Amino acid sequence: EFNMPKFEKYLRLDPSGQLSWIMIDRDHFLDGLYEAIGCKWVEHVQLLHGLECLVDEVGAISGYQLINFPASRLYAGYVSGVPLFGPVIFVRTDIGPSGDLEWLPLQPGDIRVLEHWLNVDIPDPEED
């Protein structure tokens, strides 16, 4: 049987500060993340204010990822000199369709928290 892709929208924050909504197929989730971040391994990072993101696991030592200053301001390690590198994909961890804990798209409340702490307007994911 043919399964239609199950695309979900995730918010990406590039080192330049540019925010964009990207589509990732739930059935090929890790591949979508690798492509969106430009990496081979992702690391889950707990941020301040109840936020979470996924980053390049070897971004700090890779030599090809730039420091992501906007995202680093949301990271507790930044005050001790540990920034985040490369694009970050914001997620939330919750019970997913499988019944297991999964990384899922942001909810409207998460987006409002991000807007506040990044001091930016984030476009509605349904409007692009």
Side-chain angles (χ1 to χ4, degrees):
E1 127 189 17
F2 177 74
N3 285 335
M4 290 294 294
K6 296 174 194 70
F7 285 105
E8 299 170 328
K9 286 191 178 182
Y10 289 85
L11 186 63
R12 178 174 64 199
L13 176 56
D14 292 326
S16 68
Q18 180 181 347
L19 286 161
S20 57
W21 289 101
I22 60 166
M23 301 292 283
I24 298 180
D25 181 349
R26 171 56 59 186
D27 292 335
H28 302 281
F29 189 66
L30 281 176
D31 289 333
L33 287 173
Y34 299 150
E35 184 177 332
I37 297 172
C39 67
K40 293 187 177 91
W41 303 282
V42 296
E43 177 180 359
H44 177 261
V45 176
Q46 194 66 48
L47 300 171
L48 302 170
H49 320 297
L51 298 166
E52 310 167 50
C53 71
L54 302 171
V55 300
D56 182 346
E57 185 171 321
V58 297
I61 59 171
S62 68
Y64 57 81
Q65 298 282 23
L66 299 173
I67 293 177
N68 191 323
F69 287 107
S72 294
R73 291 198 306 265
L74 302 171
Y75 180 51
Y78 187 51
V79 294
S80 54
V82 182
L84 299 175
F85 284 79
V88 304
I89 309 295
F90 292 102
V91 296
R92 63 184 179 85
T93 302
D94 207 342
I95 303 294
S98 69
D100 294 324
L101 277 179
E102 296 181 31
W103 296 323
L104 298 169
L106 298 178
Q107 293 290 327
D110 304 316
I111 296 168
R112 286 192 293 278
V113 170
L114 265 174
E115 284 183 317
H116 175 78
W117 291 106
L118 291 173
N119 197 26
V120 296
D121 289 324
I122 298 172
D124 186 312
E126 304 310 316
E127 290 178 8
D128 49 313

